Amino acid sequence: MTETAHTQSEPARILLVEDNPGDVRLTKEAFEQGRIENDLSVVSNGAEALDYLSRRGEYADAPRPDLILLDLNLPGKDGEDVLEDLKDDPKLRSIPVIVLTSSRAEEDIAQSYELHANAYLTKPVDPDEFIETVRAFEKFWFSVVRLPPEVDSR
């Protein structure tokens, strides 16, 4: 069994669940400027996220992410529903989920942790601050934290 789900020779696999094209662009830019090699996949709604993670339909060959960045305000199935479904699934629950959202509402923060989010980050409005937040997150989660190994999910 490996110590982490990714090694220095293997890029970190990140799934970004975000419907705002501007935030997707800023997140990609932040990861491109970062020091950690990564493979960022993007889906724009909750139903797509669950299809990706369950490897259904067009996502049959999708890699299991090391970490999920999840917006709460999604069309259709919202982020809280996605988080609840993920944490209820024994094959997916060990994947760390970081809520990355514009909401500063205390009830959203409390509910996210109640649903077992691993962290809650509020998106800064300023683009430079947004990029700095993503880079700080990247450094912490991929340089400091030991991620769980992938379990055989098939």
Side-chain angles (χ1 to χ4, degrees):
M1 195 181 287
T2 59
E3 280 190 14
T4 62
H6 92 98
T7 64
Q8 294 293 22
S9 61
E10 213 177 291
R13 293 181 309 261
I14 303 164
L15 176 62
L16 174 62
V17 185
E18 173 61 70
D19 65 317
N20 180 319
D23 289 347
V24 169
R25 184 181 49 75
L26 284 173
T27 304
K28 284 181 175 179
E29 188 177 319
F31 280 122
E32 286 168 5
Q33 291 178 12
R35 293 190 178 92
I36 309 299
E37 188 179 346
N38 65 78
D39 178 13
L40 181 67
S41 299
V42 180
V43 294
S44 60
N45 63 57
E48 276 185 63
L50 293 172
D51 285 349
Y52 183 100
L53 292 162
S54 300
R55 298 176 175 151
R56 289 190 295 252
E58 67 180 286
Y59 302 109
D61 296 323
R64 177 185 172 93
D66 296 314
L67 190 130
I68 300 165
L69 282 172
L70 177 65
D71 186 20
L72 291 182
N73 305 310
L74 298 168
K77 190 176 208 51
D78 72 15
E80 286 181 355
D81 291 339
V82 171
L83 185 55
E84 187 169 16
D85 287 356
L86 281 174
K87 295 304 181 176
D88 281 346
D89 186 328
K91 294 175 184 164
L92 301 174
R93 74 170 53 122
S94 67
I95 302 171
V97 178
I98 291 47
V99 172
L100 180 62
T101 188
S102 55
S103 174
R104 297 180 181 274
E106 295 217 355
E107 58 270 17
D108 286 343
I109 297 167
Q111 182 65 18
S112 292
Y113 283 116
E114 186 69 29
L115 293 171
H116 307 287
N118 296 83
Y120 190 102
L121 299 174
T122 302
K123 296 176 193 170
V125 175
D126 177 74
D128 292 332
E129 287 179 30
F130 184 101
I131 288 171
E132 196 51 46
T133 296
V134 172
R135 289 186 65 196
F137 145 84
E138 175 191 47
K139 183 176 181 187
F140 176 75
W141 280 97
F142 295 110
S143 297
V144 179
V145 172
R146 289 178 56 180
L147 294 170
E150 181 175 347
V151 293
D152 186 10
S153 61
R154 295 206 182 233

